[in-house]
Amino acid sequence: SSSLLRKARFYTSCLPLKKKDSKTRTVRSNLLLPGPETEKPKGSPLASNRLKTTKYTALSFLPKNLFEQFHRLANVYFVFIALLNFVPAVNAFQPELALAPVLFILAVTAIKDLWEDYSRYRSDKEINHMECLVYCRNEKKYISRYWKEVEVGDFVQLRCNEIIPADILLLSSSDPDGLCHIETANLDGETNLKQRQVVRRFLELDSEFDPLKFSSVIECEKPNNDLTRFRAYIIHTNGNRDGLYKENLLLRGCTIRNTEEVTGIVIYAGHETKALLNNSGPRYKRSKLERQMNIDVLWCVLILIVMCLFSAIGHGLWVWQFSEKKKPVFDVPGPDGNYLSPVLASVYLFLTMIIVFQVLIPISLYVSIEIVKICQVYFIHQDKDLYDEETDSQLQCRALNITEDLGQIQYIFSDKTGTLTENKMVFRRCTVSGIEYSHDANAKRLAMYQEPDSEEEETAPKGVTLSQRDSICSHQSVKAVHRSQSTKSHRRTGSRAEAKRASILSKHTAFSSPMSTLLKLEEKLTYSVQMNNNGYSAQQEKRAIESGPEEGELRYEAESPDEAALVYAARAYNCTLVGRLSDQVSIELPHLGTLTFEVLHTLGFDSIRKRMSVVVRHPITDEINVYTKGADSVIMDLLLPYDPRGKHQKKIESKTQNYLNLYAVDGLRTLCIAKRVLSKDEYACWLKSHLEAESCIENREELLFQSALHIEKNLHLLGATGVEDRLQEGVPETIANLRKAGLQIWVLTGDKQETAINIAYACKLLDHDEEIITLNAESPVSRSLPDGSVQIGFASFCTPSSSAHSKLGLVIDGRTLAYALDKTLENRFLLLAKRCRSVLCCRSTPLQKSMVVKLVRDKLKAMTLAIGDGANDVSMIQVADVGVGISGPEGMQAVMASDFAVPRFRHLEKLLLVHGHWCYSRLANMVLYFFYKNAMFVALLFWYQFYCGFSGTSMIDQWYLIFFNLLFSSLPQLITGVLDKDVPAEVLISVPQLYKSGQNMEDYQPHMFWMNMIDALYQSLVCFFIPYFTFYDSDMDIFSLGTPITTIALFTIILHLAVETKTWTFFHWSSCIFSILLFFFVALVYNASCPICYPPSNPYWTMEKLMGDPMFYLTCIISPFIALLPRYSISLSMCTLVIAHPLYILFVLELR
């Protein structure tokens, strides 16, 4: 019966709001008895909650893995060559032996993939067999079930510290206010708690929630990966409809905190949950060096074809010169007794030579590069200089395949707040009704306050922090709670690092430390601050709030550090936030006691409106007030139009604007606050349209946006605040060094222009001796055309000037930037920006940031790096060639979207100037060395064709030929690619100009490929003809000639690498010696144990005989010396040039 009831559940279906709409689904309870209306809808079935991230099964592994590996053209090429060797007419080696290298590469990759998939299988099994409580209709209680058995429509009960198994609509909570707190660290990396709310109608229930009585219908959007949005509505049995939001949804993977028990219905399960839809796998980008390398691989293919074609023509001519009666004795006829024609022989020989010369295409290059990059990332992670003790965090590499791009960056695009600055706000000044109040003295006292040491922090009881996130960017209501014994049992126990991080984030932050309540104001303020426009005022007096574990201690948590500073500042002056629920806020005011304001609506912040608002009901006057805070550039435009009799208000606005300008000049972050009193009719009219917008699924965001615009107008200005955001430690020095390295730094910020300029001077982005070009849409730089469009006058600044580049700085605001990014003006804007030493874009939106980065990247073909710390920086981080995230108070969104994550901006200096330079130099040299090594070895076979009638015969034993690159010469180049350092780290930091070598691709330019090809050609001539003429006219067989040639080639290749190696370690010496010893060991064992391995030839005892001949040793010494003489001479001359280079002289002078 239980199974029948399970099968009779109500399936999710798509019930269109419109005829053409199929983007919604309906969810009903699984506990209802089946009926005619509950038939399973047509279409795709719902996803189960079973997690399956594995790619293979026992049967599908081999074909599927091979299919994936053959997506790589290199693997297809080498498999084709190996199969071609099975054709008798064109084969060059033993077919089985020719398969060995490619089978080895495929097998290693398959084993790696199998191990990774098995790890995923074990993880899936562990998650699927986790247990949760699901309501059972038969037993009429919650029973334990595996996660994989949970389905859409089930009712799930969760308790404190349990992980949420699916996306669940919150219907009941043990919290009397219907709240639930979750930790979303598994989704976005943020450890601060988020507040979720029970659905409105169920919050009003008088009795305990009973799943059997739930008969409402939920209509929601189809599954999507947007974590910040949930559009749905619920239809109750009485026909009423309520909108549902992300605040009502518990996401899979989050953890219940500080709430004893919650109940909800499953909306999305399994792979349809938002968490799994966001799991898009690892990031992949192709580096600039890899793109250049692929071009050179194509050149190698062309060279291979030319060599094969040349050999084929040579063989055809060689066959043609013999008549039918004068065929050489070693020319064997075909099975029919006829000899091949010259043309057909040439065709067969062409295919044979492709097999012989296949080594020219480096089969192990891509695998070696992956190994080297993994090792490079490991050593970067081990750098203690990239570890930040304060936040207990270190560098993270999230994209393994672009490490060398760090050494080629030309443009850096940086956010300001939280990236260049601490994002730890200090409340400095404010203006109320045109009167300015300075808080500098008090802020300095608070800034000097030192937190308790770490031991005290760890042992002291922590306050419970509750928060509610109402928008992605800036709004955060704060919740004040009292410490009590009842909450300790459910409090999350953080690690020492978490406790330390929480302490550091509040350190040096005025009004942001919970200990600031113990700090007494040493003097009364001079002014009587008007707390609100209702006439209430209070003279500030000395006050210390006694707090302790017994009485409880107020502690606030805010998403935005600005808002935390404002709330703590208000509390320091006796206007204390004492309670915050989803529908009310309690404030303790002087002489009035505690007032509880009913929160009717919250209109969240967005980057287009640049403001947020709250609609509240005043507890005394019963007025409905709209309070709006946001950027002055938008708030000032929303104020009530001037009335001829409103001179006082006009004067207040004028004074406020003047103070805002002064705050900005001082580098303070400014914020305007305004209000509007709504009449009951206005509110009722607006409420109707707003509720309709809330209950819509399609275009909900657009409708809510229009609803906010409708109410956020005709505002009355209350005042403005100025908050200081300090620079991070080491930012000015880092920017100065990066500029010396030839990097162009652009700062893209949403701050006010004057504030951004002040910070730019403080961090040495702008210098006082620079001429600043300011582009504002209202300034004379722009001119209006008759058709109403605006054209920026960039042309006047674009005249060539050799001296102006280092003396110009460009400042442009968001409105003007929108014009500059127009297709008709973007080229002029770039011409001007290129001539400027620094560029500062103010009031820029996230979209504009990404457009600027994309413009520079595409138009200038420059390597770009974007660095930021907030969600508004994600778009530009993803657009840039290299994205760097900083983990800070704004969360982990930027880090999760980045390629690299650093704790502080100053770490960018060593990451680029040292590790970036090393990674680029190592990989560039390794790739060129690969091409040289393979070309040199193949050329040896090519020269022999002139002495064998271009028959495709190889004088090198096929075992040596197949395993030369795979075993004998692979290890030294890997060690050099991982550990070589062309310049020490301290020199790269002292002389940042050395970074320009990567920007100019000095280590890997197109002509260097051809120079290495020429060098390989010369060395192959030496390594082939010296042994050839040494043993000329002797009676040695073909392999007795080929073995010393192979030995000399190995010596030459290893010594060539030694000449190019800049830093020698134990591992370098060991790898070179090991490779040589391995070759001799394999040769001796192979020649001694394999007398009939390659009939009719006989390699038996070849190496043993050669090692008894003094001429063998003489040729092995002379040949590499002559072959490497030009390369060594060039290296010596290059060292001489380096010593005479101005940068070297500069370094020596700095050491002195």
Side-chain angles (χ1 to χ4, degrees):
S1 59
S2 176
S3 60
L4 291 175
L5 287 173
R6 298 287 292 178
K7 291 180 181 179
R9 63 177 31 89
F10 286 83
Y11 293 91
T12 301
S13 61
C14 299
L15 298 182
L17 294 176
K18 301 178 183 178
K19 292 183 179 180
K20 62 178 181 180
D21 185 9
S22 60
K23 297 181 181 179
T24 62
R25 61 161 47 171
T26 301
V27 177
R28 294 184 175 89
S29 168
N30 286 337
L31 303 178
L32 298 177
L33 291 174
E37 74 279 6
T38 64
E39 295 179 1
K40 181 177 179 180
K42 296 180 180 180
S44 59
L46 297 177
S48 69
N49 205 44
R50 179 189 296 270
L51 177 65
K52 184 180 183 297
T53 60
T54 57
K55 295 193 296 183
Y56 311 112
T57 63
L59 295 177
S60 69
F61 171 72
L62 190 60
K64 192 171 183 179
N65 185 262
L66 289 176
F67 178 76
E68 290 177 350
Q69 292 201 55
F70 287 153
H71 275 72
R72 302 175 183 175
L73 293 179
N75 289 342
V76 175
Y77 167 77
F78 285 105
V79 168
F80 168 74
I81 296 297
L83 294 178
L84 189 64
N85 206 52
F86 280 86
V87 180
V90 298
N91 72 326
F93 313 122
Q94 291 182 10
E96 300 81 6
L97 185 61
L99 274 174
V102 67
L103 288 180
F104 177 79
I105 297 296
L106 294 176
V108 169
T109 306
I111 292 173
K112 176 182 72 73
D113 293 341
L114 181 63
W115 174 254
E116 291 177 351
D117 207 55
Y118 179 67
S119 300
R120 288 191 290 266
Y121 167 76
R122 290 191 303 173
S123 175
D124 292 349
K125 185 177 180 181
E126 181 181 354
I127 293 175
N128 287 330
H129 286 79
M130 294 176 67
E131 295 184 348
C132 62
L133 294 175
V134 180
Y135 194 86
C136 177
R137 179 182 180 84
N138 289 346
E139 301 185 25
K140 295 184 179 181
K141 67 176 183 179
Y142 289 96
I143 62 174
S144 179
R145 281 203 179 123
Y146 290 137
W147 276 26
K148 65 181 182 180
E149 298 174 343
V150 175
E151 298 188 15
V152 173
D154 284 346
F155 290 90
V156 178
Q157 186 176 84
L158 299 167
R159 291 169 184 171
C160 187
N161 297 326
E162 288 186 356
I163 301 176
I164 302 170
D167 289 352
I168 297 174
L169 185 68
L170 184 58
L171 299 177
S172 174
S173 172
S174 60
D175 186 273
D177 299 309
L179 300 178
C180 171
H181 299 91
I182 61 174
E183 181 187 272
T184 61
N186 291 335
L187 294 184
D188 54 19
E190 298 183 20
T191 56
N192 59 315
L193 303 184
K194 312 295 190 304
Q195 185 171 285
R196 293 296 179 259
Q197 178 71 48
V198 171
V199 176
R200 186 179 304 170
R201 301 274 178 176
F202 294 92
L203 182 61
E204 302 168 357
L205 293 177
D206 296 331
S207 58
E208 185 178 350
F209 175 77
D210 185 0
L212 290 173
K213 296 180 181 179
F214 182 88
S215 57
S216 302
V217 178
I218 302 162
E219 185 151 354
C220 59
E221 59 188 345
K222 285 288 188 69
N224 59 76
N225 63 351
D226 192 346
L227 296 173
T228 66
R229 187 193 74 190
F230 175 60
R231 296 186 297 191
Y233 60 82
I234 183 169
I235 304 175
H236 302 284
T237 52
N238 58 6
N240 292 333
R241 189 167 75 170
D242 291 327
L244 304 176
Y245 311 93
K246 69 180 182 68
E247 288 78 17
N248 306 126
L249 192 66
L250 305 178
L251 298 180
R252 175 182 174 130
C254 299
T255 305
I256 303 294
R257 301 291 191 194
N258 297 339
T259 310
E260 292 183 1
E261 187 177 276
V262 297
T263 304
I265 185 173
V266 176
I267 301 296
Y268 305 120
H271 289 274
E272 291 183 345
T273 58
K274 292 182 180 291
L276 295 184
L277 289 174
N278 271 276
N279 187 11
S280 57
R283 297 169 53 80
Y284 181 82
K285 289 184 179 180
R286 181 178 295 176
S287 67
K288 186 177 181 180
L289 186 143
E290 185 179 346
R291 294 193 295 267
Q292 178 64 37
M293 181 188 72
N294 290 337
I295 295 175
D296 290 339
V297 169
L298 295 178
W299 281 118
C300 287
V301 173
L302 183 60
I303 293 173
L304 173 66
I305 293 174
V306 170
M307 292 175 66
C308 294
L309 196 60
F310 183 88
S311 300
I313 295 173
H315 183 66
L317 294 175
W318 185 79
V319 172
W320 175 74
Q321 70 178 341
F322 297 101
S323 63
E324 289 291 334
K325 297 180 180 180
K326 296 182 179 179
K327 291 291 183 181
V329 294
F330 50 80
D331 193 2
V332 182
D336 56 357
N338 297 323
Y339 291 93
L340 294 176
S341 65
V343 175
L344 187 58
S346 297
V347 172
Y348 285 163
L349 196 278
F350 178 83
L351 297 176
T352 300
M353 297 311 295
I354 288 180
I355 299 174
V356 174
F357 295 158
Q358 63 176 300
V359 183
L360 186 62
I361 310 299
I363 186 174
S364 57
L365 175 59
Y366 294 96
V367 177
S368 301
I369 287 177
E370 289 184 8
I371 294 173
V372 167
K373 288 183 177 181
I374 291 174
C375 294
Q376 287 178 349
V377 168
Y378 170 79
F379 284 111
I380 292 175
H381 283 173
Q382 300 305 308
D383 191 341
K384 294 181 180 179
D385 292 337
L386 299 180
Y387 169 76
D388 184 59
E389 186 177 1
E390 290 186 355
T391 58
D392 191 27
S393 57
Q394 63 180 9
L395 177 135
Q396 303 174 38
C397 180
R398 303 171 59 84
L400 299 178
N401 51 327
I402 59 170
T403 54
E404 65 272 27
D405 279 350
L406 293 172
Q408 300 176 271
I409 302 300
Q410 296 166 295
Y411 284 81
I412 294 179
F413 299 89
S414 174
D415 179 39
K416 183 186 76 66
T417 304
T419 304
L420 301 179
T421 61
E422 293 279 2
N423 205 12
K424 299 174 184 177
M425 306 304 173
V426 178
F427 186 87
R428 289 295 186 189
R429 308 168 81 174
C430 70
T431 172
V432 181
S433 298
I435 302 175
E436 204 263 348
Y437 303 95
S438 175
H439 301 263
D440 288 342
N442 186 50
K444 288 177 182 177
R445 286 194 296 274
L446 288 174
M448 290 188 299
Y449 181 79
Q450 296 296 324
E451 295 287 343
D453 58 35
S454 58
E455 294 298 327
E456 292 177 352
E457 293 167 359
E458 193 169 356
T459 57
K462 299 178 184 177
V464 181
T465 57
L466 307 179
S467 64
Q468 173 187 0
R469 175 172 299 184
D470 292 319
S471 73
I472 187 172
C473 290
S474 77
H475 170 58
Q476 173 66 48
S477 56
V478 286
K479 168 74 175 174
V481 296
H482 290 271
R483 295 181 179 177
S484 62
Q485 297 297 329
S486 62
T487 60
K488 287 183 180 178
S489 60
H490 302 298
R491 188 158 54 240
R492 177 168 54 97
T493 56
S495 65
R496 179 189 181 95
E498 290 174 343
K500 186 171 185 179
R501 179 175 298 187
S503 170
I504 294 300
L505 291 181
S506 62
K507 190 175 182 181
H508 298 311
T509 307
F511 310 115
S512 295
S513 168
M515 297 300 294
S516 64
T517 56
L518 301 177
L519 182 67
K520 296 184 178 181
L521 300 178
E522 297 176 358
E523 57 184 2
K524 295 181 180 180
L525 293 180
T526 308
Y527 301 102
S528 228
V529 182
Q530 299 290 332
M531 300 312 300
N532 54 51
N533 67 329
N534 293 320
Y536 300 110
S537 63
Q539 182 73 23
Q540 303 299 317
E541 299 177 354
K542 297 180 182 179
R543 179 175 179 180
I545 304 175
E546 299 295 336
S547 60
E550 295 83 5
E551 299 180 16
E553 176 186 326
L554 284 173
R555 183 164 185 166
Y556 303 124
E557 182 181 283
E559 179 181 333
S560 167
D562 302 74
E563 294 173 355
L566 295 178
V567 173
Y568 276 113
R571 169 178 157 186
Y573 298 115
N574 299 343
C575 299
T576 307
L577 173 64
V578 294
R580 178 68 169 97
L581 302 177
S582 61
D583 58 349
Q584 66 183 38
V585 55
S586 299
I587 303 174
E588 185 178 333
L589 296 174
H591 308 301
L592 292 176
T594 301
L595 297 181
T596 299
F597 293 78
E598 181 184 359
V599 179
L600 302 175
H601 304 278
T602 300
L603 308 177
F605 176 92
D606 64 65
S607 59
I608 300 176
R609 288 166 45 241
K610 294 184 180 180
R611 60 186 179 273
M612 61 86 56
S613 299
V614 61
V615 183
V616 300
R617 189 186 303 276
H618 198 285
I620 298 179
T621 64
D622 203 37
E623 290 180 339
I624 297 176
N625 296 330
V626 180
Y627 290 96
T628 302
K629 69 177 182 66
D632 59 293
S633 59
V634 295
I635 296 296
M636 290 298 185
D637 295 335
L638 301 175
L639 298 180
L640 188 68
Y642 290 132
D643 187 279
R645 296 170 293 180
K647 294 182 179 180
H648 179 65
Q649 180 64 20
K650 183 177 181 180
K651 187 176 180 180
I652 291 176
E653 294 177 14
S654 177
K655 287 184 176 181
T656 302
Q657 185 61 62
N658 290 335
Y659 287 126
L660 283 170
N661 296 335
L662 292 175
Y663 295 170
V665 170
D666 289 340
L668 303 182
R669 293 168 57 87
T670 57
L671 195 68
C672 279
I673 302 173
K675 69 171 289 188
R676 176 186 177 187
V677 179
L678 293 178
S679 66
K680 292 184 178 180
D681 292 339
E682 288 176 325
Y683 175 68
C685 180
W686 175 82
L687 180 61
K688 181 180 179 182
S689 62
H690 187 72
L691 291 178
E692 291 178 356
E694 285 184 334
S695 61
C696 286
I697 294 181
E698 275 199 331
N699 302 321
R700 175 185 286 185
E701 286 75 19
E702 177 63 26
L703 294 174
L704 290 175
F705 178 82
Q706 295 298 331
S707 176
L709 294 183
H710 182 71
I711 200 173
E712 293 172 337
K713 60 183 181 180
N714 298 330
L715 303 177
H716 176 82
L717 183 64
L718 297 179
T721 60
V723 178
E724 180 184 5
D725 187 8
R726 296 180 177 138
L727 279 178
Q728 289 186 19
E729 179 185 352
V731 168
E733 295 80 7
T734 299
I735 290 179
N737 269 0
L738 292 177
R739 292 173 109 180
K740 289 179 183 178
L743 289 158
Q744 297 293 317
I745 302 177
W746 293 26
V747 172
L748 313 176
T749 177
D751 279 352
K752 189 175 174 64
Q753 183 169 299
E754 291 79 4
T755 303
I757 291 176
N758 186 282
I759 295 295
Y761 278 116
C763 68
K764 295 185 179 179
L765 180 73
L766 298 177
D767 291 334
H768 291 283
D769 60 345
E770 287 182 352
E771 180 182 351
I772 306 300
I773 301 173
T774 303
L775 298 182
N776 293 326
E778 298 83 6
S779 71
V781 178
S782 63
R783 58 187 178 88
S784 297
L785 299 180
D787 59 358
S789 62
V790 178
Q791 180 173 349
I792 313 299
F794 296 123
S796 59
F797 296 103
C798 296
T799 55
S801 174
S802 59
S803 62
H805 184 275
S806 60
K807 296 296 182 181
L808 286 181
L810 177 63
V811 178
I812 182 171
D813 70 343
R815 188 176 301 175
T816 311
L817 185 60
Y819 300 137
L821 293 175
D822 186 80
K823 293 292 184 182
T824 60
L825 294 174
E826 59 184 17
N827 291 330
R828 294 184 182 182
F829 170 63
L830 277 181
L831 284 175
L832 172 59
K834 280 175 61 179
R835 292 187 58 245
C836 295
R837 189 163 174 259
S838 304
V839 177
L840 180 61
C841 301
C842 314
R843 296 294 192 195
S844 52
T845 64
L847 179 60
Q848 286 178 331
K849 291 182 179 182
S850 62
M851 290 175 65
V852 169
V853 176
K854 188 174 186 297
L855 179 67
V856 174
R857 186 197 67 190
D858 295 342
K859 291 288 185 180
L860 301 183
K861 305 299 181 184
M863 291 293 294
T864 58
L865 180 147
I867 179 170
D869 72 314
N872 59 332
D873 304 316
V874 168
S875 56
M876 76 169 180
I877 286 174
Q878 293 177 332
V879 166
D881 293 295
V882 178
V884 179
I886 295 180
S887 55
E890 290 192 23
M892 298 288 289
Q893 296 95 327
V895 170
M896 298 181 72
S898 65
D899 304 307
F900 298 89
V902 294
R904 299 281 182 173
F905 182 83
R906 68 173 184 270
H907 295 137
L908 196 64
E909 178 182 5
K910 188 168 187 181
L911 179 64
L912 296 183
L913 301 188
V914 177
H915 293 290
H917 176 88
W918 282 345
C919 289
Y920 167 72
S921 176
R922 291 163 177 167
L923 282 171
N925 290 323
M926 190 183 81
V927 170
L928 290 173
Y929 178 78
F930 252 103
F931 288 130
Y932 145 78
K933 181 187 69 171
N934 289 9
M936 187 265 198
F937 193 67
V938 166
L940 297 174
L941 304 175
F942 181 72
W943 301 132
Y944 185 71
Q945 301 308 308
F946 287 91
Y947 299 92
C948 67
F950 294 96
S951 61
T953 304
S954 170
M955 77 290 188
I956 300 177
D957 189 282
Q958 58 183 344
W959 284 82
Y960 301 154
L961 194 63
I962 294 297
F963 294 105
F964 187 85
N965 282 317
L966 201 62
L967 294 178
F968 303 144
S969 62
S970 59
L971 185 59
Q973 64 195 13
L974 291 177
I975 296 296
T976 303
V978 173
L979 299 178
D980 195 31
K981 299 177 182 178
D982 59 338
V983 183
E986 56 271 14
V987 177
L988 292 171
I989 295 293
S990 302
V991 188
Q993 293 86 344
L994 292 172
Y995 185 79
K996 294 180 181 179
S997 63
Q999 294 175 331
N1000 301 328
M1001 294 187 65
E1002 295 179 5
D1003 291 337
Y1004 189 6
Q1005 293 183 351
H1007 74 271
M1008 290 182 173
F1009 169 80
W1010 296 107
M1011 293 298 295
N1012 275 270
M1013 292 294 105
I1014 295 173
D1015 193 20
L1017 184 68
Y1018 163 76
Q1019 292 185 22
S1020 65
L1021 285 170
V1022 173
C1023 293
F1024 177 81
F1025 283 103
I1026 287 182
Y1028 176 80
F1029 286 115
T1030 300
F1031 298 104
Y1032 186 73
D1033 264 350
S1034 64
D1035 59 351
M1036 64 169 27
D1037 62 277
I1038 182 173
F1039 290 130
S1040 296
L1041 173 65
T1043 300
I1045 291 177
T1046 305
T1047 307
I1048 293 170
L1050 180 63
F1051 285 171
T1052 304
I1053 285 172
I1054 291 179
L1055 290 175
H1056 179 106
L1057 181 64
V1059 171
E1060 295 298 312
T1061 300
K1062 308 300 188 303
T1063 303
W1064 282 90
T1065 65
F1066 169 78
F1067 297 102
H1068 288 83
W1069 289 104
S1070 301
S1071 63
C1072 294
I1073 295 173
F1074 173 78
S1075 296
I1076 294 173
L1077 294 179
L1078 178 65
F1079 170 74
F1080 277 98
F1081 175 78
V1082 171
L1084 290 171
V1085 173
Y1086 166 62
N1087 291 160
S1089 61
C1090 196
I1092 55 172
C1093 286
Y1094 192 18
S1097 302
N1098 184 9
Y1100 182 72
W1101 216 250
T1102 300
M1103 179 60 80
E1104 285 79 358
K1105 291 179 181 178
L1106 287 172
M1107 292 184 70
D1109 186 356
M1111 291 300 296
F1112 172 73
Y1113 296 101
L1114 184 62
T1115 54
C1116 288
I1117 294 174
I1118 294 177
S1119 300
F1121 175 78
I1122 298 175
L1124 292 173
L1125 188 60
R1127 167 71 59 172
Y1128 185 69
S1129 301
I1130 293 174
S1131 297
L1132 282 179
S1133 62
M1134 291 295 293
C1135 290
T1136 305
L1137 292 175
V1138 168
I1139 294 175
H1141 197 278
L1143 291 181
Y1144 183 85
I1145 298 173
L1146 175 63
F1147 170 67
V1148 173
L1149 292 176
E1150 289 202 11
L1151 287 181
R1152 293 180 179 177

